[in-house]
Structures are given as structure tokens and as C-alpha cells.
Amino acid sequence: MKPRKNTKRVPSFRKLLRTSQIKLDNKLKNKQYKQKSAAKKYRKEQKKLREAVRDAISRKPFPLEESKKKQVARKWEEKEEEEDALPLDMMDEDDLKLMEDLAQKASFLTRDLSSNEPVHVKKRKHESVIEKYEKVPRRLQTEPEKELIHLLPIKDKSGIIPQAVEKPVLNVAHDEEEDTEDMEEAEDFNEEPLPVLTPEEMAAQRRQKLQERKMHIAALASAILSEPDSNIKKLKELRAMLMEQDPNVAVIVRKLVMVSLMEIFKDIAPSYKIRPLTEVEKATKVKKETQKLREFEEGLVSQYKFYLENLEQTIKDWKQRKLKKSNVISLKAYKGLAEVAVKCLCELLVALPHFNFHNNIIVLIVPLMNDPSKMISELCVEAVKKLFKQDKLGYASLGVVKVISGLVRGRNYDVRPEVLKVFLHLRIKEVELQKDSEDIAPKKKFMTYKEKRKNLSRMQRKWKKAEEKLERELLEAEASESKQKKLKLHTETLNIVFVTYFRILKKAQKSPLLPAVLEGLAKFAHLINVEFFDDLLIVLHSLIASGDLSYRESLHCVLSAFHILSGQGDVLNIDPMKFYTHLYKTLFSLHAGGTNEDIEIVLQCLDVMFAKRRKQVSQQRALAFLKRLSILALHVLPNSSVGILATNRIFMQTFPRMDLLLDNESQGSGVYLPELDEPEHCNAQNTALWELHLLQRHYHPTVQKFASHLIAGAPTEGSGALPLDLSQRSATELFETYCMKGMTFNPPVASVTSRRKDTFLQMDSFVDEELNKQLQQHISETDASKPLDFAKHLKESSLA
């Protein structure tokens, strides 16, 4: 059975142009598959046929020797029997002619199936039995059938001649034998015993390898730093060591290479951003120096990019707990590698804010601020704080604030409070206002028209006018462009910050981010647009009234409200009495325990509520706060007492008639009601500051000084005045100065030896006084002849 010919019409060239390459490939694959399946089917049928013939031949063996005469006689006998069986006289002429024609042609019935010759080849006459026997296929050692590869046919005069080539058969058995031999050789090689090293030898070998790697890293880094333009290609060699495969030194070598590359990039990176060259610039011929600079910049940017990608991949592998196929580094060691990678990224974030790929570093660092690992989170938070503090123009700060805002919103406000607290370190003190460029530009005095007429000629006046015009334009360009750009960036940054804050106030009021939001509002409230003041104050009061806030959060609400009212809010007619009442009512929540740190916020609130709004505060309110703060000073730590007494000093110097509380006589009617929560109606003018006398006996010397100063009426001069180091500091500064976080006493306590010396001196003086008293008494009672003996005896007894 032969395979069918493919009678499909060949597509034209125009149709092939319209057909896609994928479709053509699929058609070719389908065609080849059909040809293979048809050929396979044909080979199977031929195999079955040969097996059938082989079985038939094996059952009826041929005789090996037979004379030719017998063969000829047998043929004649068979012919005669056939003639007898079918007499020709009974056949028609047409039938006889047909039989003769058929006899000349070979057919499937008359063909020798054991031969592999084509059908139309004539039978060989007088074929020997031995040759026929040799043509019978053997069952043993059957060779595999060879596959043919059909080629393009050749056409000649006789017709089309098909062409085919045998497909080369791979000797699989031979290859398998070779593989097994190789495996046996490898096993034999592995079976050879390796030299066993002692732990000391292994450690020495490891130290030697590590020293070699260190020297190689140092040599490459020195070469790059000495001539960056010429040795920029060595960056690639150094970066390739990030893939160190020796498991004994892989972790340390990779860490060293990371840090070395970070320091190299910090040193050789230019102070500008490198932009890619355009096609026109690449095609333009330039000087050798310019071409060398371009190659250096291109190589630097590409290696810096690959380095950042390696750091990013290290962090991702650790986050996803992935292990490489080589298993050179364990999963535990990946954490150390990731920490070093984060440190390098943080250093580059702070050191190269102007260079390429800075926004990519921001996108990597900001999500790590919310990492569960405390160490990595703190590293990223500190890096962002440093970036905010040193960013003078505002480009980098704007990029970080955008990414943080997207992170907070994307995580549905489920982030750590430290992520939002970094906003407090933004260097934003003013925002863009609608002013003319002349108001922003620095003023410069120009000559008036009368001065020009008096001092200059006509031509000089003309030149002077043109010169002044040019100077005015230059001044406007210099001042307004730089400052206006900075104000624009600060305004955009602050808008994103406030949008983040307001979203949390609106949608996540019970979030742990609320204290950070309130603290941020307290700092930037004076920069908020006046249109939002009313709504913001209502929200802050509702938060305080809800009772869901902690004491510290409520203090931040109060501080935010008064920061709003102390800035642009002065023009608004808003009475913040409810915030005064809340602070007055909750002052006694403070004590020497955990809430002692909240006193710093209370001192800031008092400064904004009284010192900066003294014209809007009544005398009754100031007296009530002064009395309650004096009581509070008895219950807190020394640094808090110093801060509170410093605030009381400002009260007494700012508001008149505060010395009423230093007098025992009551002023007016009524009795002081300390339990009343309304400062306006507690009759504070009818009490006295008796707490100052207790504070005068405080163990802290600075508290004693402040108490004595307030009892004297807080004078600015004279004997009752404070020293300059205390009088020129604010209450919050004094609170920080005398803080006891480090378990130290400020001022330091005297040493033991000095105290003993003071004690002995006091004892000696006391003994001398007693001796003199007793001596005088004895002289008055007895004779004057015995005083020396008595004194000597008394002194000996006292010393004993």
C-alpha cells in the first residue's frame, strides 16, 4: 500500500504574502504530520505482509538439490495437465487472446511475494533453488527499516523520476553504551576517596579564599576610582561577583560586593542626571573627549541599572522565600543579604537624589517602610526622614509623598503609623500664594527721573534706561523662577499630604493612623486653606466628644485646632471655649507614670492657647489655669515640674493682676471650686498658690529656684530673678533638658567622698559650738581656775 499523493492545489505567491507566518508554519506542521502518519501506516502493512510470507515459507521448505531435467519435465507435465483441464477448442478466440495477454503481464497472483523487486519486472527464468532460498528473509537479526526522506522529483524525457534519500539513523544503542561507560567512569572517579580535612584546615582554607576575594574586590574598586573613564568596564567584572558560587564564602563576598559597588557609585556618579542620546546626536561626529565622556556615561547608567536590579531581585527572593536552583545560599542567609541590599538602597536614596533611577529606588523603599521586620522598617523610615530634611528644592520629597499616599490608599489605611509620621519631617514652611512677581523679587533702588535729568546727559539717560530695564528683567528671572518653582513643588506636596489626612479623618477615624494624622495637622494647620477651617474644627470637636480617642490623641486635636486659629484663622470669628474646657478638665489625667511624656504636648498647647492668643483670653480663665497647673506640678516628675513652672512664669509676666494668687486675702465674693470643670466659673481669684511653698522644699534644685522665683512675683531683675540659662529657654526646651530617660539626674548628684567631707565638717562645727556653750556655762558657775581641765576632758569624751 503506497501513501496517497497530496492533490491539494499549491497556493499562489500572492496568497502566501497575505497569509501570516504563524499560519504557514501551522500548515507546514500539519502537512508533515500527515505524511509521517501515512508513511508509518504503510510501513506497518508491509511489515505484516512480510511476516505472513515468512511464516508460509518456513512451513513449506524448498528442496535444496534438484536436477534441471526433472525441473523441465515437471514444467511440461504441469502444462499438459493444464491443457487437459481446459481444452482450447472449447474457448473462443477472444477469450484465448485475453488469456495470452494476461500471461504476458505480471499480477499480484503470479508475483513472487518473497522478492522485493517492483511489480513490472519480468520473472527470471531458470532461477536456481539456492538463490531463491537465499532470498527468503531470516527471522534472526532483522535490521531496522530505513526511513526515506522524499526530495523534489526530476523530470526528463521518460517522465517524472521521484527522488529520495535514506534518513540517517542514530545508533541509540551505541550512544547508550557510551553513556553507561561515562557513568561508570564517573562513579569510579567518585568512588575515589577525597582527602578529609580537619575543621582547622577547612577554616584556614575558607580564610584564604575570602582573603583572595577581598583583594580582588579591592583591586577592582581602586582601579575604578582612580580612573573611572578608562576602567568603567571593570564595573561589570565587579558586579559579576554578586553571583559568587562558592558556598563557603558566597554570603560574605556578595555582601562585600554590594557595599563596594554602592560606595563606588556614590563617588563616581556625576551631579546631574544623564539622559539618553537621540538618534541625531548619535549620528553626529564629535571630539574624542566628548565620545569618551558619552561612553563613560552610557556604561555608568547601564551598570547602575543592573546593580539596582540585582538588589531588587535579592529583596524579592527573600520576601517570596525563594531558593535558587544552585542552593549556594541558604534561606536563612538570604535575610542577611536582603538587609544589606536595603541598606545600600537607603544610602543611594539619600546620597543620589538627583541621579537616574531615583524614582525607582523610592518605589522600592517606601513599601518596605511597612515591612513586618522591625529592622528593615526602621532603616527605610530613617532614610526617608534624612531625604526630607536635606531636600531643599522639593523634587524628591514630592516623589516620596506621592508613593506613600498611594501605598496608604492601596492598603486600605492598614499601614504602620511610622509611615505617616515621616510627613512631620517635611521642610515646608510656606506655600504658593497669589502674588505678583514684583512682590517676590528683591527690591532694588533705581534712579528717579529728576536725578537722571540733573546728573546725566541725554545719551547717558538713554543708556541708563536700557540698563535698568535689563537689570529688572534679570532680577525677576532669577528670584521668581527659583522661588516660584520651590513654592509650586511645596504646594503640590502639601496638597497630597492633606488629601491623605482628610481621607483618614473621613473614612478611618478608628484607625491607629489617627494620632499621626492629628500630629501632622497640628504642624501644618497654618498652611491649610481658610475655606476648610470651619469643617475641620467641627470634625476635631466631634472626635473629642466621641470619647473614642486616647488622651494623647485628644491633646493633638486641641493642638491642631489652636494652630488653625493662630494662623490665618485670626480673621475668623470662632470661639474655641470648648477646647479650653476640655484641656482644663483633663489636666489631672497627667501623673508621674506613663502619661508624663504627654506633658510636652500640654506645654505646646498652653503656649498656643495663652501666649499667642493673650488678647482673646480672660483674666478668670488665666487664673484658673495658673492654679490648676500649680497643683499639677506636685504630682509629676522633676522635668515636668520645671516645664509647668516655666509656663506659670509666662502667665504671671503676660497677664496683669496674676499676683492676686500670692496674697492670702480673698478678692470678691465666692469660694474657689477646684472640682468645677469650667475655668470661667471656678472663682480662682479667691485662692492662693500655697503649692509654691511645698515646691520650695523640692529635692530638685531647679524646681526650688523656679518656686522661689514665682513666690517673689517672677521679677526680671534683682535678687529674685532667674539665671540666664533658665530664663531664656522655653518650657518645652526645659522639659527636654531635665528629662530623666537616661536614668541620669540633672544637675548631677554630688559624689560620696564630697558628701562625707561635708558631713565631717558639719560634725566638727557642731562639736565646737557645743564645747563653747558648755565652757561658758561652766565658767559662770565655777572658778576661773578649772576651765582648761574641764574643756580638755569634755573634748576627749566627745572624740571617744
Side-chain angles (χ1 to χ4, degrees):
M1 181 179 178
K2 290 185 179 181
R4 265 188 327 183
K5 289 184 180 180
N6 191 1
T7 57
K8 287 187 178 180
R9 188 176 177 183
V10 178
S12 64
F13 181 70
R14 189 177 299 278
K15 189 174 181 181
L16 287 173
L17 284 178
R18 291 198 300 269
T19 311
S20 66
Q21 185 63 36
I22 298 173
K23 194 170 181 181
L24 291 174
D25 292 343
N26 292 337
K27 282 186 176 181
L28 181 62
K29 288 178 183 176
N30 293 335
K31 185 177 179 182
Q32 292 174 351
Y33 178 74
K34 287 179 181 178
Q35 289 177 354
K36 287 180 181 179
S37 60
K40 192 174 181 181
K41 189 175 181 181
Y42 173 71
R43 287 196 300 271
K44 284 184 178 179
E45 291 177 354
Q46 289 292 323
K47 188 176 180 181
K48 288 181 181 179
L49 191 60
R50 284 194 297 272
E51 288 177 356
V53 171
R54 202 179 299 127
D55 292 340
I57 292 170
S58 62
R59 289 171 191 164
K60 186 179 179 182
F62 292 98
L64 294 177
E65 294 182 358
E66 194 172 3
S67 63
K68 293 181 179 179
K69 292 181 180 180
K70 289 183 179 180
Q71 290 178 7
V72 173
R74 183 177 291 179
K75 287 181 180 179
W76 279 108
E77 288 175 1
E78 290 175 0
K79 193 174 181 180
E80 287 175 0
E81 288 175 2
E82 289 174 2
E83 288 176 356
D84 292 340
L86 186 65
L88 298 175
D89 297 337
M90 296 177 64
M91 297 179 66
D92 296 335
E93 293 180 359
D94 296 333
D95 295 336
L96 185 62
K97 191 175 181 180
L98 180 62
M99 291 295 292
E100 290 175 354
D101 293 336
L102 288 173
Q104 293 177 1
K105 295 180 181 181
S107 65
F108 179 74
L109 296 175
T110 60
R111 183 185 174 195
D112 187 3
L113 296 177
S114 63
S115 66
N116 293 326
E117 294 178 353
V119 176
H120 299 288
V121 176
K122 293 181 179 180
K123 286 186 177 181
R124 295 177 183 177
K125 294 181 180 179
H126 309 292
E127 190 176 22
S128 66
V129 178
I130 297 173
E131 291 176 354
K132 190 180 292 185
Y133 185 82
E134 290 293 330
K135 289 179 181 179
V136 175
R138 273 70 167 172
R139 288 190 178 186
L140 300 175
Q141 297 180 357
T142 55
E143 294 183 359
E145 186 181 356
K146 295 181 180 179
E147 296 184 11
L148 298 178
I149 299 174
H150 297 280
L151 304 178
L152 292 174
I154 299 172
K155 187 175 182 182
D156 59 357
K157 294 179 181 179
S158 61
I160 296 173
I161 302 173
Q163 298 290 317
V165 178
E166 292 182 359
K167 187 177 180 180
V169 180
L170 296 175
N171 196 350
V172 181
H174 182 65
D175 293 343
E176 288 179 355
E177 289 177 2
E178 289 182 355
D179 293 340
T180 52
E181 289 176 2
D182 294 340
M183 290 291 291
E184 289 175 358
E185 290 178 1
E187 288 176 0
D188 295 339
F189 180 75
N190 291 332
E191 286 175 1
E192 294 179 5
L194 294 172
V196 179
L197 298 177
T198 62
E200 291 80 6
E201 291 174 346
M202 291 175 66
Q205 187 180 10
R206 181 177 178 274
R207 281 196 299 271
Q208 184 181 358
K209 287 182 181 178
L210 195 57
Q211 189 65 24
E212 291 174 359
R213 303 293 196 282
K214 285 181 180 179
M215 294 299 293
H216 188 49
I217 293 169
L220 290 174
S222 300
I224 294 167
L225 292 174
S226 59
E227 294 182 1
D229 299 344
S230 307
N231 299 322
I232 193 66
K233 292 183 180 179
K234 291 189 176 180
L235 273 174
K236 185 177 180 181
E237 185 179 351
L238 184 58
R239 190 176 54 81
M241 295 182 72
L242 285 172
M243 300 295 126
E244 177 65 42
Q245 297 299 319
D246 191 345
N248 291 327
V249 294
V251 178
I252 297 178
V253 170
R254 292 188 185 189
K255 288 181 181 179
L256 290 173
V257 174
M258 282 182 189
V259 177
S260 303
L261 283 171
M262 180 261 295
E263 293 294 338
I264 290 171
F265 284 122
K266 282 169 64 176
D267 194 47
I268 68 174
S271 59
Y272 55 87
K273 188 174 183 179
I274 299 172
R275 64 172 181 84
L277 297 175
T278 60
E279 295 297 330
V280 178
E281 290 174 339
K282 289 179 181 178
T284 307
K285 289 184 178 180
V286 293
K287 296 180 181 179
K288 288 184 178 179
E289 292 80 4
T290 309
Q291 185 64 29
K292 189 176 181 182
L293 179 62
R294 285 182 176 179
E295 290 176 358
F296 165 72
E297 289 179 345
E298 186 178 355
L300 177 64
V301 170
S302 64
Q303 293 302 320
Y304 186 58
K305 178 185 175 184
F306 291 141
Y307 172 63
L308 294 178
E309 287 176 352
N310 287 334
L311 295 181
E312 181 186 6
Q313 191 60 43
T314 303
I315 297 170
K316 281 185 178 178
D317 291 342
W318 171 67
K319 295 286 286 182
Q320 298 172 0
R321 302 295 189 270
K322 271 188 181 179
L323 273 180
K324 298 296 182 183
K325 292 181 181 178
S326 58
N327 289 330
V328 175
I329 297 175
S330 64
L331 193 60
K332 187 178 181 181
Y334 252 103
K335 185 180 180 182
L337 277 177
E339 289 175 355
V340 175
V342 171
K343 285 180 183 177
C344 294
L345 286 172
C346 291
E347 287 288 332
L348 294 173
L349 177 75
V350 178
L352 302 176
H354 57 277
F355 198 55
N356 299 51
F357 309 113
H358 190 256
N359 288 333
N360 302 73
I361 299 176
I362 291 172
V363 172
L364 282 174
I365 290 293
V366 169
L368 293 175
M369 294 167 65
N370 194 42
D371 195 79
S373 174
K374 189 176 180 182
M375 181 180 176
I376 290 179
S377 176
E378 288 178 353
L379 279 173
C380 299
V381 168
E382 290 300 321
V384 173
K385 286 180 183 178
K386 286 181 184 177
L387 182 66
F388 283 164
K389 288 177 182 177
Q390 73 177 26
D391 186 21
K392 295 180 179 178
L393 192 57
Y395 281 113
S397 300
L398 178 60
V400 174
V401 168
K402 282 182 178 178
V403 179
I404 290 176
S405 178
L407 176 71
V408 173
R409 191 177 181 185
R411 297 282 178 90
N412 198 19
Y413 313 105
D414 184 18
V415 296
R416 298 167 63 128
E418 288 79 8
V419 177
L420 278 186
K421 284 184 180 179
V422 297
F423 287 162
L424 300 175
H425 299 271
L426 286 167
R427 293 180 59 178
I428 299 177
K429 294 182 180 178
E430 55 181 345
V431 291
E432 191 176 23
L433 299 175
Q434 294 181 353
K435 292 183 178 181
D436 298 331
S437 59
E438 294 180 2
D439 298 334
I440 297 172
K443 302 292 183 182
K444 183 175 180 180
K445 291 184 178 180
F446 296 100
M447 294 179 70
T448 61
Y449 180 72
K450 289 183 179 180
E451 290 175 349
K452 290 177 184 177
R453 287 290 296 249
K454 185 178 180 181
N455 300 322
L456 302 176
S457 64
R458 184 176 179 182
M459 185 59 67
Q460 287 175 337
R461 288 199 300 270
K462 188 175 181 181
W463 279 103
K464 191 71 175 175
K465 184 178 180 181
E467 186 181 350
E468 287 178 355
K469 184 179 179 182
L470 182 60
E471 285 181 3
R472 199 176 278 113
E473 290 176 357
L474 288 173
L475 285 172
E476 288 177 4
E478 288 177 6
S480 62
E481 185 179 357
S482 59
K483 192 169 183 179
Q484 200 70 21
K485 190 185 294 183
K486 183 177 178 180
L487 289 174
K488 189 174 182 181
L489 288 171
H490 284 182
T491 305
E492 188 177 354
T493 304
L494 204 61
N495 285 340
I496 298 172
V497 171
F498 283 139
V499 166
T500 307
Y501 284 165
F502 293 157
R503 278 179 185 158
I504 295 171
L505 283 175
K506 184 178 179 182
K507 298 181 180 179
Q509 292 187 356
K510 294 185 179 180
S511 170
L513 301 176
L514 193 59
V517 171
L518 296 172
E519 199 171 348
L521 286 174
K523 181 173 182 180
F524 301 115
H526 61 286
L527 301 173
I528 301 176
N529 197 341
V530 183
E531 298 174 359
F532 302 110
F533 279 4
D534 287 335
D535 296 334
L536 194 54
L537 287 172
I538 291 170
V539 170
L540 292 175
H541 183 258
S542 64
L543 286 172
I544 293 173
S546 65
D548 296 332
L549 303 181
S550 64
Y551 182 63
R552 190 180 184 88
E553 293 170 0
S554 65
L555 289 177
H556 280 305
C557 283
V558 174
L559 188 59
S560 303
F562 280 99
H563 271 301
I564 291 170
L565 295 174
S566 64
Q568 303 176 58
D570 288 338
V571 298
L572 301 176
N573 188 17
I574 298 175
D575 183 20
M577 184 60 198
K578 47 197 172 185
F579 295 105
Y580 281 102
T581 304
H582 174 74
L583 183 62
Y584 182 80
K585 182 171 59 177
T586 57
L587 275 178
F588 286 151
S589 301
L590 300 166
H591 49 76
T595 59
N596 187 72
E597 296 300 320
D598 297 338
I599 292 179
E600 185 177 5
I601 307 172
V602 172
L603 296 176
Q604 294 175 8
C605 292
L606 291 170
D607 182 54
V608 180
M609 294 164 70
F610 290 94
K612 296 180 180 179
R613 291 176 57 87
R614 54 181 175 270
K615 293 182 179 179
Q616 289 91 354
V617 178
S618 64
Q619 183 182 352
Q620 294 292 332
R621 195 180 303 173
L623 288 169
F625 270 91
L626 181 61
K627 175 62 179 176
R628 185 157 285 199
L629 287 172
S630 300
I631 299 171
L632 181 63
L634 297 171
H635 306 289
V636 291
L637 293 178
N639 62 328
S640 302
S641 298
V642 172
I644 290 170
L645 292 177
T647 304
N648 286 352
R649 176 174 174 269
I650 295 171
F651 272 62
M652 296 183 75
Q653 291 178 350
T654 304
F655 296 97
R657 297 179 62 80
M658 289 291 108
D659 54 352
L660 290 173
L661 301 182
L662 300 177
D663 191 1
N664 289 334
E665 297 179 2
S666 61
Q667 300 289 330
S669 61
V671 180
Y672 175 59
L673 303 173
E675 72 281 356
L676 194 65
D677 293 333
E678 293 292 336
E680 297 284 350
H681 308 293
C682 65
N683 299 325
Q685 73 278 4
N686 295 327
T687 185
L689 297 177
W690 53 266
E691 297 85 5
L692 296 178
H693 291 281
L694 294 177
L695 292 170
Q696 263 187 320
R697 296 174 177 82
H698 200 278
Y699 65 89
H700 199 283
T702 310
V703 177
Q704 295 176 11
K705 290 179 183 178
F706 266 100
S708 302
H709 173 67
L710 292 177
I711 287 175
T716 56
E717 297 177 351
S719 60
L722 286 175
L724 290 176
D725 60 331
L726 296 177
S727 61
Q728 292 182 352
R729 293 185 184 180
S730 65
T732 52
E733 288 177 356
L734 290 168
F735 177 83
E736 289 292 335
T737 303
Y738 294 99
C739 183
M740 301 176 67
K741 282 184 180 178
M743 300 303 292
T744 56
F745 193 77
N746 189 12
V749 182
S751 61
V752 177
T753 56
S754 62
R755 283 188 307 203
R756 285 179 180 174
K757 189 183 290 185
D758 294 340
T759 306
F760 287 139
L761 289 173
Q762 290 175 2
M763 287 176 64
D764 286 343
S765 62
F766 175 74
V767 169
D768 290 339
E769 288 178 2
E770 289 294 325
L771 284 173
N772 290 328
K773 285 181 183 179
Q774 294 184 15
L775 185 60
Q776 292 295 332
Q777 186 179 1
H778 186 70
I779 288 171
S780 62
E781 293 179 357
T782 61
D783 299 334
S785 61
K786 299 181 181 179
L788 293 175
D789 296 334
F790 176 76
K792 185 178 180 181
H793 174 69
L794 186 62
K795 190 171 185 179
E796 288 175 357
S797 62
S798 64
L799 289 173

